[in-house]
Amino acid sequence: MSFPVWMLLAFALWTVLLLLFTIGIYRWTRILTGRVEIKAFRADNVQGDNWYSRAMRAHANCIENLPVFGAIVFALYASNLSGGLIDILAAVIVLARIGQSITHVAFTQTNTVAFIRFIFFFAQLACFIGLAALVVRHAL
């Protein structure tokens, strides 16, 4: 399996772990202790602690970007592209996603924290564009 495919798998696993260890724990501890009913958690009306709302958004960010990364990794795979630069860009995407998620969930959002989150997001975008450019260059 190629390194970018491993990184895609890591991104997907991070998305699941983020769900389990933030949203999942928050909800199930409240349900199992009888503090709320299972029907209390509605997608259209996020309630709860501030960090829980941020965890919901961080998980949604992962879900939104996973197909983008998946499409790029598929294009790399279909083009039979590999190499050190590709591996580095794929690893940066995953590490920046983890950094962005942790920053989103763990810290009260100030301008500084939001800027740090943006840097992590921008790194991912730059790597997405870089990988896509390598695929296009190879195809031409």
Side-chain angles (χ1 to χ4, degrees):
M1 194 159 56
S2 71
F3 189 77
V5 174
W6 279 109
M7 292 298 93
L8 180 60
L9 180 61
F11 194 117
L13 289 173
W14 173 253
T15 302
V16 172
L17 291 172
L18 186 62
L19 172 68
L20 290 174
F21 290 106
T22 59
I23 299 164
I25 288 175
Y26 184 87
R27 288 182 181 191
W28 284 105
T29 56
R30 279 151 185 75
I31 292 166
L32 294 174
T33 58
R35 288 186 272 174
V36 298
E37 293 181 308
I38 198 166
K39 67 180 182 177
F41 296 101
R42 297 177 35 192
D44 61 342
N45 186 18
V46 178
Q47 299 170 328
D49 296 339
N50 193 13
W51 76 265
Y52 169 74
S53 297
R54 294 192 313 269
M56 294 275 294
R57 191 63 212 136
H59 180 256
N61 289 158
C62 288
I63 295 296
E64 293 163 357
N65 285 279
L66 184 57
V68 174
F69 190 34
I72 293 169
V73 169
F74 177 76
L76 289 166
Y77 180 80
S79 301
N80 201 29
L81 281 173
S82 62
L85 178 59
I86 289 169
D87 292 352
I88 289 168
L89 293 173
V92 168
I93 289 169
V94 174
L95 293 172
R97 170 53 52 191
I98 291 169
Q100 182 184 5
S101 299
I102 290 170
T103 304
H104 205 159
V105 175
F107 300 100
T108 301
Q109 299 303 291
T110 63
N111 284 334
T112 302
V113 172
F115 181 70
I116 292 167
R117 270 189 18 238
F118 173 76
I119 290 170
F120 283 129
F121 179 67
F122 185 78
Q124 292 165 78
L125 285 180
C127 292
F128 286 159
I129 291 167
L131 288 172
L134 291 170
V135 171
V136 170
R137 187 181 79 181
H138 176 76
L140 299 177

